[in-house]
Amino acid sequence: MAKKWGIRAVLAFLIYLLIMYVYIFHLNDGGIPVSLLGSTSDPKTFMTGQELILSEEYSKIRNFLFFILTPFEWLMYFFILISGLSYLFEKWSMVSKWKVIHNSIYLFLLSLLTFAVFFPINYLRYTLSKGYGISTQDFSSWMRDNVIDFWVNFVITVIVISVLYWIIKKSTKRWWLYAWLLTIPFSIFLMYLQPVIIDPLYNEFYPLKNKELEEKILHLAEQANIPAEHVFEVNMADKTNALNAYVTGVGDNSRIVLWDTTLERLTDEEILFIMGHEMGHYVEKHIYIGIFGYILMMFVGLWLISKIMPWFIKKYGKVFKITNIHQIHSLPLLLLLSSFLLFFSNPIFNTVSRYQEARADQFALEIVQEPEAAITGFQKLAKAGLSEVNPPALVKWFRYTHPPMIERIKTIEDTIKNK
């Protein structure tokens, strides 16, 4: 039976891969509405012919990889289960009576296998980014980031999974509720640590060097009634040509961060609009709304998994070599179900996120009052990242947490016309 399931799973994945290939590479031309031709949202007005070609190619490859990677992850977990690898990993990890050591060995073996399986794909993405001029990172630096990723995720996973399976063993019916209650303080704690412990492992952060610009940003924050003492910049030029700025952390560890690439290639007015956008997130409490949304998602997700997982084990436990939900080698099944639910919840959360981003844009327009700088800033962001300004519907629903550039620029154009 396991062999038949494996063949069917591979065939289903190949059919899906073909469908997505046709959809992304042949059913969408990446064009823009006729009414917007020649406008400031038309990429032909701010990209060269070569940049337009590269943008189309790069966007299609990235979109295709996005849509096949998650189902490939499902396929990997499925084969780990039906091949008995997960069962063997648990068997090999039984070298100590201490449960935490047992769990750590199992999770190390599973994490190492996952890292190895995905390494060629991640390397392909890295070489593509280098080839299209987005990444400037050398291989040793890229590899270093991957190793840091592995160990950071491993430590967090050991803590989370050890606690989770201890709860499952103690309460096989209500484990999902107790686990959900614990995710609330743990998630907030991680968000609190992110800016000061985790992020500096990857990049160097320091207060904004341009004190004149910092004064302008802090004055803008004062207008918005935002308590702020410093703006941070991060050294990204050694890794990317892309531009970015963001808000991270919670409480007294929250901070506004600018990439040094953004500082080098945008004017003060364009940077102030971006800062106004990030301040809009703060004023409208989007970070806390995001936390609430994440907590709600975890509640629904854990409840669904608590219903689906026992059913799977009861019906197909022999095939997966799982007899009880509290056995840690059932973890690939839990990860498969989690990944599946998360993937199909993307359109909902992305829709909310795009609304929040549009609101932040509107706030920035009101407080900065530099719509022309906003347009040129968006154009430079699109050029730097070879962004697809008008993505296909499925790509927008599943990938875009921000409105496409064509929508953001058109909104600003409409604002200027209505003045």
Side-chain angles (χ1 to χ4, degrees):
M1 182 181 283
K3 187 177 179 179
K4 285 184 180 178
W5 280 26
I7 293 170
R8 289 172 185 171
V10 171
L11 286 175
F13 177 72
L14 291 175
I15 292 169
Y16 168 80
L17 188 149
L18 179 62
I19 292 170
M20 292 313 303
Y21 177 83
V22 172
Y23 175 77
I24 294 207
F25 286 95
H26 297 286
L27 295 183
N28 292 278
D29 60 5
I32 67 169
V34 175
S35 61
L36 296 179
L37 290 174
S39 69
T40 55
S41 57
D42 182 353
K44 290 181 180 178
T45 64
F46 59 87
M47 285 187 182
T48 66
Q50 181 67 9
E51 286 172 337
L52 287 168
I53 293 170
L54 293 176
S55 171
E56 182 178 357
E57 290 177 354
Y58 186 54
S59 296
K60 285 183 176 180
I61 294 170
R62 287 179 68 205
N63 292 337
F64 181 65
L65 286 173
F66 170 83
F67 278 103
I68 67 170
L69 276 179
T70 302
F72 179 74
E73 182 185 18
W74 304 341
L75 190 67
M76 178 193 68
Y77 288 137
F78 182 74
F79 272 97
I80 288 173
L81 286 167
I82 65 170
S83 66
L85 263 178
S86 186
Y87 175 78
L88 282 175
F89 285 169
E90 180 167 15
K91 191 175 179 181
W92 294 342
S93 67
M94 292 180 179
V95 296
S96 170
K97 63 179 182 179
W98 295 95
K99 199 67 176 176
V100 67
I101 295 176
H102 171 198
N103 292 344
S104 296
I105 295 172
Y106 171 85
L107 291 169
F108 178 78
L109 293 171
L110 183 63
S111 299
L112 195 62
L113 176 63
T114 304
F115 181 86
V117 168
F118 275 92
F119 183 82
I121 301 171
N122 290 330
Y123 181 71
L124 172 64
R125 295 166 74 184
Y126 163 69
T127 54
L128 280 170
S129 184
K130 287 272 285 187
Y132 280 91
I134 306 299
S135 174
T136 59
Q137 191 173 21
D138 60 41
F139 178 78
S140 60
S141 173
W142 177 79
M143 198 64 214
R144 175 181 175 274
D145 284 352
N146 275 271
V147 172
I148 292 172
D149 265 342
F150 177 88
W151 287 109
V152 169
N153 291 332
F154 174 71
V155 170
I156 294 172
T157 301
V158 168
I159 295 169
V160 171
I161 298 303
S162 294
V163 173
L164 176 64
Y165 273 81
W166 177 79
I167 293 172
I168 292 174
K169 190 171 184 179
K170 293 293 181 181
S171 177
T172 54
K173 290 187 177 180
R174 294 194 177 182
W175 67 265
W176 66 273
L177 180 60
Y178 302 135
W180 173 74
L181 289 172
L182 283 176
T183 63
I184 300 172
F186 185 73
S187 300
I188 295 172
F189 179 66
L190 277 183
M191 290 183 69
Y192 186 79
L193 290 184
Q194 184 86 27
V196 293
I197 301 295
I198 299 175
D199 289 346
L201 294 173
Y202 299 89
N203 301 292
E204 184 182 357
F205 291 78
Y206 37 83
L208 187 61
K209 293 176 183 176
N210 186 335
K211 296 305 174 185
E212 185 179 341
L213 177 59
E214 183 180 48
E215 188 177 336
K216 291 178 183 178
I217 293 171
L218 294 177
H219 177 68
L220 201 64
E222 186 180 354
Q223 287 179 265
N225 295 316
I226 297 173
E229 296 180 4
H230 297 290
V231 179
F232 288 82
E233 63 178 285
V234 55
N235 178 22
M236 291 296 294
D238 292 338
K239 294 186 177 182
T240 183
N241 281 317
L243 314 178
N244 196 19
Y246 59 91
V247 174
T248 186
V250 291
D252 57 2
N253 268 4
S254 61
R255 57 176 61 174
I256 296 172
V257 179
L258 279 160
W259 286 10
D260 58 351
T261 52
T262 304
L263 291 164
E264 290 167 7
R265 290 152 66 182
L266 296 190
T267 66
D268 282 6
E269 290 74 20
E270 291 163 350
I271 290 171
L272 286 174
F273 176 82
I274 292 174
M275 290 294 92
H277 172 97
E278 299 304 334
M279 290 173 191
H281 287 308
Y282 180 92
V283 170
E284 300 215 351
K285 312 253 189 280
H286 290 163
I287 292 175
Y288 298 101
I289 293 171
I291 292 172
F292 175 78
Y294 172 77
I295 291 170
L296 179 62
M297 177 191 72
M298 290 297 295
F299 181 88
V300 175
L302 287 170
W303 177 78
L304 285 172
I305 290 169
S306 75
K307 301 298 180 184
I308 299 169
M309 200 168 164
W311 178 84
F312 259 99
I313 292 171
K314 184 178 179 181
K315 195 169 180 66
Y316 305 112
K318 287 184 179 179
V319 180
F320 294 154
K321 297 179 175 61
I322 304 170
T323 57
N324 200 301
I325 191 173
H326 66 70
Q327 295 171 312
I328 197 169
H329 68 266
S330 68
L331 179 61
L333 177 58
L334 188 149
L335 294 174
L336 190 158
L337 294 173
S338 300
S339 177
F340 185 86
L341 293 173
L342 185 62
F343 182 76
F344 285 103
S345 67
N346 273 342
I348 298 170
F349 289 98
N350 287 348
T351 299
V352 174
S353 177
R354 287 195 299 271
Y355 171 77
Q356 291 178 337
E357 296 297 337
R359 290 284 300 170
D361 281 350
Q362 191 60 43
F363 179 87
L365 282 173
E366 292 170 2
I367 194 169
V368 179
Q369 297 184 349
E370 289 281 355
E372 290 81 9
I375 289 173
T376 56
F378 283 149
Q379 290 173 339
K380 289 177 183 179
L381 285 168
K383 278 172 63 75
L386 294 178
S387 301
E388 190 173 24
V389 299
N390 191 30
L394 273 181
V395 174
K396 177 181 174 180
W397 296 340
F398 278 89
R399 288 203 67 194
Y400 274 57
T401 57
H402 291 61
M405 281 301 183
I406 194 171
E407 295 179 15
R408 301 179 82 175
I409 295 175
K410 184 180 182 304
T411 299
I412 296 168
E413 285 178 327
D414 293 342
T415 301
I416 295 173
K417 291 176 184 176
N418 294 331
K419 276 190 174 181

